[in-house]
Amino acid sequence: MFRVFSLFAVLLFIQAVSAQRFTYQPLKPKAGDKVAFTYNAKGSVLPGKTNPTFSLYHFNFIDKKNGILEFAPTSQKNQVFTGSFTVPQDAKYLALQIAEEAIIDNNKKEGFLIPVHDAKGNPVMGAAVALVYLYSGLGDAFLELGPNQEKALDAINNEWKNYPESHYQLYPHYFRMNFLTKSKEINKITEDLIKEILAHPSVKEEDYMRLSSIASVVKMKEKSKQLEAEMQAKYPDGSWKKMEEMIKINSIADIDKRVEALDKIKKKYPATTINEKEDY
């Protein structure tokens, strides 16, 4: 079935079109591609414009594989720098940080952003998730990229439409942006989302917890309670039980008895992951 990616593509490419001082080829890089770029420091905020550093931030929040690659340009002449880098295999989205003497060229808060594409030339699933993070504070912290919830919302809504088979991975981000931007359709979005995710073959206890919280924040109290009850019935020995016992510990005034109670919980629910060990 033909998918309409035009609106999403326009959003993802607007930074490249507007950043006339920065150009790159190919315009739709895929994972593993070598990307050649030209950066003109003239007119930038960089103090010397002679020795900038280049760092490639590559994002993949779906698989939790994010990283940074530092590299040097291959040539420079009259404050114009050229070079290349290879798109990491796991990358969904790229952001180039160009800095000199701790001063970042943020391209007037637009940044130097590059979406990763698939073999058909469409933005890969997960590109919009990266934009959600970038426009929700992460980009400001590392790239001095201005926050923009509307761009993040447009991106994630289009990714939701274009990748229905990936709703299970996308739903926390999809709900979050529609909730934060106070979508008028938030109740219907929540109802449809709960129905779809509960029917997914990979649904687990964590999803019931998240969906119950989602229903609660949009004032669907009865639905929240119903989901919690269904979770407890479906997972009678699930992590919710440990959480309840952990909460009860806080009511124990005596420190020694509190430690004793915690030791009992540790034996009853042995930690098997790093996160579980940190919880104790």
Side-chain angles (χ1 to χ4, degrees), residues 237-261:
D237 297 315
S239 59
W240 65 269
K241 211 164 189 178
K242 182 184 74 174
M243 290 173 62
E244 284 192 348
E245 293 187 32
M246 290 286 287
I247 292 173
K248 290 178 181 179
I249 289 179
N250 295 325
S251 62
I252 302 175
D254 187 281
I255 298 299
D256 291 332
K257 290 183 178 180
R258 184 180 295 188
V259 172
E260 183 181 340

Side-chain angles (χ1 to χ4, degrees), residues 159-178:
E159 190 157 286
W160 183 262
K161 293 176 183 177
N162 295 330
Y163 289 98
E165 71 278 10
S166 299
H167 281 185
Y168 183 73
Q169 294 109 307
L170 296 173
Y171 86 87
H173 314 287
Y174 171 67
F175 171 81
R176 175 172 170 248
M177 289 314 306
N178 277 279

